[in-house]
Amino acid sequence: MKSRIQITVLLMLASLVQVRAGEPLVQEWVFTQESARKEWTANGHIKDVKPTRDGISFRTEGSDPIFTLQTMLNVPATPWQMVEICLKADHDGVGELFWSNTQEGKYGGFTSEKVTRYTATGGTNWQTIRLLPFWQTEKRIMRLRLDVYDGTRFELASIRIVDLMTDAAPVKPDFDFTQGGCGWLPLDGATGTTNKLGVIVGLPTSRSFFLSPAVQFSSEDAAYLAVRLAATKGRTGKLYFATDQSPGWQTVAFPITADGRPHTYNLDMLTVEKWRGRIVALGLRPTDATNTASMVNWLRVGTGPQGSAQIQVLSFGLDEALPRVGGEYRILAHLVNTGGAPLTGLQAELTLPKGAIAVVKPLHGALTNQLAFGETLDLAWRFKPAAPISGDAVLRLTASAANPVTTQAPMRVTPTLRLEKASYVPEPKPVRGPYEVGAYYYPGWQDASRWQPLQNFPERKPVLGWYAEGSPEVADWHIKWAVEHGITFFAYDWYWSQGARHNEHGLHDGYFKARYRNLLKFCLLWANHNPKNTSSQADCLAVTRYWITNYFKRPEHLTVEGKPVMIIFSEDRLASDLGVEGVKTAFEAMRAECRQAGLPGLYLVTCVNSVGQARRAAQQGYDAVSAYNWPHLGAAADEKAAPYSTLIGGYYRQWQHIVSETAIPLMLPICGGWDSRPWHGDNALVRYERTPELFRQHLLDARSFMDQVQKPSPVTRFALVEAWNEWGEGSYIEPHQQYGFSYLDAIREVFSGATNAHVDFGPADVGMGPYEVPTMEPSKTAWEFTQATEVWNSHMHLDDVKVVEGALTGRSVGNDPAFFSPPLKVQSAQFGKIQLRMKLTDTTGQGFKDQGQMFWSTARLHESEATSMRFEVAGDGQWHDYEVPVSQSKRWQGTITRLRLDPCNRAGVQIAVDYLRLVK
């Protein structure tokens, strides 16, 4: 019988289990006591340490403020120990707790693997930060270190270690909550109440979750974890786990259907990198929503997926970003079976808003197709609007022995614009105000392979379609839309590693050949994601000479006080390779090189994440600081989903913090949003509820901040938005399907002050386009590389990629070179091996032995170490045949959507691939 959970009343019931007020105390330091103050010593980045009525007060000034426990502990390490830190801070920030079982090593036993991050909120109230370090791999804790953060005034009352459980015997990981709470603990304000259906989990805060009793089972015997739950709010659930091989608390996010009905979610745990060894603890957060409750029926671990068939809608929406009355479009739905049993008898019922006509036309087979676990199905409807539409399309899916699923997608169709047909992009009508407003431009959209991860996110489809960059016509549309909304420059992501460059097509073939480039300034963001020890003063001079020859003397280049602007992404890369003084010396040489070429100098900006980095940037000789993005601001350190509204406040406080605590000018960074699931899967960070209205508020905050800043500088009125087109990261303002031109209209309103009416339109409105990338046959399974169209693209540590004499060739310029296949849609069960013929030649003339690696992604799983196989390769300049037995991997399953070939793990190798084939 179908019923909805009556959670409102149940939330008022008493909690089934609460953490005891007096958990056993393992160790305690109360800083009102002189003994505790002596045991914890501060380094030089912590100033003015003073005893107070409640503990100690201090301020931080430096990039690495640290308190270190001087006495040696002897604490047996268990998964159930919690560290409590009671403090105040006058600024938001992220700190770290380090722990170790040894004094040996470069940093006295402390390493980057043995750490738990925490978030502190700025204010006047005391806060108790409760951390579960899951340090059981250490066996015994000897050392502790508390890292705070720079530019902040703190008070510290106490640090405690407590036990949540003692003498906990492991239980079987099969929890039937209809029989009771099964020993699970609600933590951080969570509540648990049982009834005959299961346990009601209340989640008042973003950190609340449910913790299992002790478990002990082999990860190899537990390929799947299944949980059945019902939620009424939220988008994702979260599974936690701890192992005996990896320190720390690991998390796996999974999408949920918040319709109040119970659903079974099967998590393929062998695709999770750290699901290794023996699992010792589990945790569950049924939904990312707060102030809500969810019903959890059961949680089980097993060797295969469980439960009945389950329909999951991966995407549903209109395949057009700017539909007009009278056009003909498609509505697409992409489905997957996430249940243990095959999905049969599927039926679809589509309801459209008034004025729409649709014809059902499945793209692949009949609706009654049987889908095994993980298999997908595409459905399509032809759609012809006869009148303007503003409403939701509703899709109801039913199947045999499966819960029905209803999903909806907004549908807005506007009247046809009576515009003259054009033979080229109509001339822009720029507007601007007293501000320089820039947008980062990511030039990564050159072919179908790059767009493939976006296919399940139709709301992101650009007005230009899935376009190919490198076209002057595409660039002119971008320029037109930018300047008509108050944007004055683009900062193009640009890549250089010891002379190797890639992803230049958007700038060199697009912008530089665009008709309207004189209307929009440009500069570069040197995205120096380079391997260690690749930076030197000689390389800095070489790259500067390249900039002078190819960019700085162009009249469109952005300048400050006549000096060409250069933004450097990684302050840390240069500083790590050269040291602070080395960077300063290199910058002096680079500026001298510019002056020798007749330029007034060089205005250097770097991206920073903290006050400490900003201070170090000033010491190195940068002229200003900015950021690419700060997507975690306003969220807890381990939080994977948080509203965009809290990000806005986090940005404002970060602007204030940098300006108040440092002397270096700030080129104000602005965030267009963040949701990187296309790149990183369901476990990615998501800032949800991103809307044009909230973005407008963010812009108003920025304008107010720039107008009121007390330290005028040449970049006081510069704002830089991330980004124009970071579609994969979920940070984009370019016109798109979900919100059209609304983000650009907000920039026009706030920064340009333009009051004249304007009409936003796309290429189809003037008879131009389309600009879609050429589609490739998704069922192709063999590549002989006899034509240039067969080239797998590359944007990772490879240079000069091309087809030469029947082989795909390239030169590795880093330690992680990779070729990416075109989009695929092949069933893994039909193929057991991948064969390739390859030649690797060390350009130094020396031979080597190394490992190649074949990655794959599926309709459900993104490529990762878990979805890959390694194979031995020889770097002797000879052709070799290799065979990768992919079917031996438990992760080779479902629909394969892309391959990635890493030929080796070193720079300086000439690579040639004669063929690559999937073998049946």
Side-chain angles (χ1 to χ4, degrees):
M1 182 178 70
K2 299 173 183 177
S3 63
R4 293 185 175 271
I5 306 169
Q6 303 299 315
I7 62 170
T8 305
V9 174
L10 290 171
L11 268 172
M12 301 174 64
L13 298 177
S15 167
L16 169 73
V17 181
Q18 283 292 350
V19 177
R20 297 182 300 277
E23 302 103 334
L25 184 65
V26 177
Q27 198 83 29
E28 180 180 46
W29 298 270
V30 178
F31 291 100
T32 55
Q33 300 172 5
E34 184 178 359
S35 59
R37 297 195 295 269
K38 287 182 177 180
E39 285 190 84
W40 288 84
T41 60
N43 71 350
H45 292 183
I46 293 178
K47 310 290 185 181
D48 301 333
V49 180
K50 299 174 183 176
T52 67
R53 182 185 64 181
D54 300 308
I56 55 173
S57 65
F58 57 93
R59 62 181 179 87
T60 53
E61 186 179 304
S63 59
D64 201 15
I66 293 169
F67 278 102
T68 304
L69 179 64
Q70 296 303 310
T71 55
M72 292 297 107
L73 297 175
N74 187 20
V75 175
T78 78
W80 313 112
Q81 286 156 342
M82 176 178 282
V83 179
E84 295 180 344
I85 306 165
C86 185
L87 57 74
K88 286 183 188 179
D90 71 347
H91 284 101
D92 295 0
V94 176
E96 296 170 310
L97 175 73
F98 286 86
W99 30 267
S100 179
N101 67 351
T102 179
Q103 301 180 66
E104 304 299 321
K106 183 177 180 181
Y107 301 105
F110 298 121
T111 69
S112 59
E113 291 78 31
K114 302 174 184 180
V115 63
T116 304
R117 299 173 72 237
Y118 65 89
T119 300
T121 304
T124 59
N125 295 326
W126 287 100
Q127 53 194 301
T128 299
I129 297 167
R130 307 187 76 186
L131 305 177
L132 282 167
F134 284 96
W135 51 26
Q136 66 281 345
T137 54
E138 295 296 274
K139 308 300 183 185
R140 192 166 297 277
I141 301 302
M142 293 177 59
R143 305 208 65 200
L144 291 178
R145 191 180 99 185
L146 179 67
D147 288 23
V148 282
Y149 45 89
D150 192 16
T152 303
R153 288 164 177 79
F154 289 91
E155 289 187 62
L156 181 62
S158 64
I159 299 174
R160 294 183 173 91
I161 305 174
V162 299
D163 256 331
L164 294 178
M165 301 182 190
T166 56
D167 302 323
V171 300
K172 183 180 178 181
D174 185 350
F175 301 100
D176 181 357
F177 295 113
T178 65
Q179 304 302 309
C182 301
W184 284 59
L185 292 177
L187 293 179
D188 285 331
T191 60
T193 306
T194 59
N195 63 22
K196 63 181 181 180
L197 298 178
V199 60
I200 309 292
V201 180
L203 303 169
T205 74
S206 61
R207 296 182 60 85
S208 306
F209 73 103
F210 222 35
L211 176 67
S212 80
V215 294
Q216 189 77 237
F217 60 91
S218 169
S219 60
E220 288 298 317
D221 298 332
Y224 290 84
L225 186 145
V227 58
R228 187 165 180 81
L229 64 88
T232 57
K233 294 180 182 178
R235 302 164 19 144
T236 59
K238 187 186 293 185
L239 173 77
Y240 303 81
F241 68 90
T243 82
D244 65 353
Q245 291 192 1
S246 300
W249 200 214
Q250 315 302 325
T251 61
V252 179
F254 57 95
I256 62 171
T257 302
D259 59 2
R261 294 188 176 93
H263 297 272
T264 300
Y265 301 98
N266 284 290
L267 282 63
D268 184 351
M269 299 306 296
L270 292 186
T271 65
V272 180
E273 182 178 354
K274 292 194 175 181
W275 187 259
R276 298 290 184 268
R278 300 194 70 77
I279 310 303
V280 298
L282 297 170
L284 179 67
R285 183 179 172 88
T287 174
D288 56 355
T290 57
N291 296 315
T292 185
S294 305
M295 171 70 77
V296 184
N297 308 106
W298 49 258
L299 184 147
R300 300 169 186 154
V301 172
T303 57
Q306 300 187 36
S308 58
Q310 183 75 49
I311 307 167
Q312 182 184 339
V313 181
L314 296 174
S315 64
F316 171 56
L318 192 61
D319 187 33
E320 176 65 34
L322 205 61
R324 306 290 192 191
V325 171
E328 186 169 316
Y329 312 107
R330 294 187 306 166
I331 299 172
L332 302 179
H334 188 44
L335 322 176
V336 63
N337 176 20
T338 58
L343 183 68
T344 59
L346 181 66
Q347 296 292 324
E349 177 186 343
L350 177 67
T351 303
L352 299 179
K354 185 178 179 180
I357 301 172
V359 178
V360 179
K361 184 182 179 184
L363 291 182
H364 297 287
L367 287 177
T368 54
N369 272 3
Q370 175 174 298
L371 295 181
F373 171 76
E375 290 187 341
T376 60
L377 179 68
D378 292 335
L379 304 176
W381 294 262
R382 297 291 175 184
F383 167 67
K384 190 169 184 178
I389 296 171
S390 182
D392 289 336
V394 179
L395 177 63
R396 177 177 168 79
L397 298 164
T398 60
S400 303
N403 284 339
V405 170
T406 300
T407 188
Q408 60 188 42
M411 186 169 294
R412 185 172 183 268
V413 178
T414 54
T416 303
L417 299 179
R418 306 299 181 183
L419 300 176
E420 292 184 8
K421 301 303 179 185
S423 59
Y424 194 71
V425 182
E427 186 173 350
K429 300 175 181 178
V431 298
R432 69 163 299 152
Y435 308 94
E436 293 289 348
V437 182
Y440 287 115
Y441 189 106
Y442 174 62
W445 311 110
Q446 62 269 49
D447 56 39
S449 177
R450 297 296 292 147
W451 286 111
Q452 188 271 335
L454 274 296
Q455 300 305 308
N456 288 344
F457 298 84
E459 75 282 357
R460 304 189 191 196
K461 188 170 187 178
V463 164
L464 287 177
W466 308 117
Y467 56 80
E469 280 173 334
S471 158
E473 209 166 294
V474 166
D476 271 326
W477 279 109
H478 286 169
I479 292 169
K480 174 181 174 62
W481 293 333
V483 300
E484 289 185 343
H485 293 86
I487 292 175
T488 61
F489 69 94
F490 278 166
Y492 283 86
D493 294 1
W494 187 83
Y495 303 84
W496 164 290
S497 180
Q498 296 183 317
R501 307 182 314 278
H502 62 275
N503 277 8
E504 292 181 328
H505 54 281
L507 181 61
H508 286 233
D509 300 331
Y511 174 85
F512 284 166
K513 297 177 182 179
R515 183 179 297 182
Y516 305 126
R517 67 182 181 278
N518 65 301
L519 301 178
L520 183 75
K521 297 291 185 181
F522 85 97
C523 68
L524 304 182
L525 167 80
W526 180 13
N528 57 332
H529 315 289
N530 301 343
K532 292 181 180 179
N533 302 317
T534 55
S535 305
S536 64
Q537 181 165 327
D539 190 65
C540 286
L541 284 174
V543 74
T544 303
R545 293 179 187 123
Y546 188 90
W547 294 337
I548 293 169
T549 301
N550 294 277
Y551 307 119
F552 286 170
K553 293 187 176 182
R554 290 180 174 269
E556 301 87 8
H557 200 284
L558 180 70
T559 61
V560 170
E561 298 178 323
K563 304 169 187 175
V565 173
M566 175 59 61
I567 305 171
I568 297 177
F569 178 83
S570 177
E571 172 271 339
D572 183 65
R573 175 75 286 124
L574 291 178
S576 296
D577 286 355
L578 300 176
V580 171
E581 289 302 317
V583 173
K584 188 174 182 180
T585 301
F587 284 175
E588 290 169 354
M590 293 162 70
R591 291 187 171 103
E593 192 75 21
C594 289
R595 289 192 293 270
Q596 187 174 341
L599 299 166
L602 178 61
Y603 197 89
L604 290 165
V605 183
T606 190
C607 299
V608 300
N609 294 312
S610 67
V611 164
Q613 268 195 306
R615 283 205 182 103
R616 188 167 72 169
Q619 294 169 359
Q620 294 169 57
Y622 287 96
D623 296 288
V625 296
S626 189
Y628 198 68
N629 49 57
W630 295 323
H632 290 88
L633 291 183
D638 59 349
E639 200 169 357
K640 291 293 187 180
Y644 176 76
S645 58
T646 62
L647 184 67
I648 294 173
Y651 260 70
Y652 195 88
R653 292 189 294 273
Q654 185 84 320
W655 299 335
Q656 289 180 314
H657 199 193
I658 289 175
V659 168
S660 65
E661 296 293 334
T662 70
I664 192 167
L666 175 66
M667 183 182 286
L668 210 68
I670 293 172
C671 182
W674 188 270
D675 178 354
S676 60
R677 286 175 296 163
W679 282 169
H680 306 122
D682 292 328
N683 213 34
L685 175 66
V686 176
R687 302 312 293 260
Y688 55 82
E689 296 173 354
R690 163 190 184 263
T691 66
E693 292 76 21
L694 286 172
F695 181 65
R696 179 180 176 276
Q697 182 58 56
H698 190 24
L699 299 178
L700 289 170
D701 287 348
R703 188 182 71 184
S704 173
F705 188 87
M706 288 189 289
D707 289 347
Q708 296 173 19
V709 69
Q710 299 300 308
K711 299 175 183 177
S713 80
V715 294
T716 294
R717 290 198 163 193
F718 275 65
L720 189 48
V721 181
E722 197 267 334
W724 179 262
N725 60 347
E726 279 280 17
W727 304 105
E729 291 184 351
S731 187
Y732 47 88
I733 58 173
E734 180 182 342
H736 58 280
Q737 190 223 64
Q738 186 176 21
Y739 292 118
F741 287 81
S742 296
Y743 281 83
L744 293 186
D745 286 341
I747 291 175
R748 176 186 169 103
E749 175 194 344
V750 173
F751 286 129
S752 80
T755 57
N756 57 309
H758 73 290
V759 177
D760 292 322
F761 59 89
D765 294 316
V766 291
M768 295 186 65
Y771 301 99
E772 298 270 345
V773 294
T775 57
M776 301 181 185
E777 176 53 54
S779 59
K780 187 178 179 69
T781 58
W783 298 267
E784 303 298 329
F785 302 118
T786 56
Q787 303 176 32
T789 54
E790 285 191 298
V791 172
W792 289 20
N793 78 41
S794 176
H795 55 96
M796 282 181 58
H797 295 187
L798 278 171
D799 192 23
D800 199 25
V801 176
K802 56 188 175 182
V803 167
V804 178
E805 297 179 352
L808 173 63
T809 64
R811 178 175 59 87
S812 64
V813 294
N815 297 328
D816 196 16
F819 293 104
F820 293 83
S821 82
L824 303 179
K825 192 165 188 179
V826 296
Q827 295 305 313
S828 59
Q830 298 178 14
F831 300 93
K833 302 174 183 177
I834 296 177
Q835 295 176 342
L836 66 148
R837 182 174 174 81
M838 184 168 65
K839 178 170 62 175
L840 303 177
T841 307
D842 193 329
T843 54
T844 65
Q846 300 178 358
F848 64 87
K849 290 189 179 296
D850 202 353
Q851 286 190 324
Q853 196 167 7
M854 184 66 68
F855 293 82
W856 59 90
S857 55
T858 76
R860 297 186 307 109
L861 308 173
H862 287 246
E863 62 200 26
S864 67
E865 284 294 322
T867 55
S868 72
M869 292 191 81
R870 297 180 183 270
F871 56 99
E872 300 298 321
V873 297
D876 56 7
Q878 304 297 315
W879 288 105
H880 292 276
D881 294 316
Y882 300 103
E883 187 170 87
V884 186
V886 287
S887 63
Q888 294 181 13
S889 170
K890 295 178 181 178
R891 293 106 169 168
W892 181 261
Q893 57 180 247
T895 305
I896 306 301
T897 57
R898 190 168 77 168
L899 299 176
R900 166 182 151 185
L901 170 64
D902 289 17
C904 56
N905 297 293
R906 60 183 63 208
V909 177
Q910 191 64 41
I911 302 159
V913 183
D914 182 37
Y915 64 79
L916 189 146
R917 305 164 184 155
L918 279 76
V919 180
K920 291 189 176 182

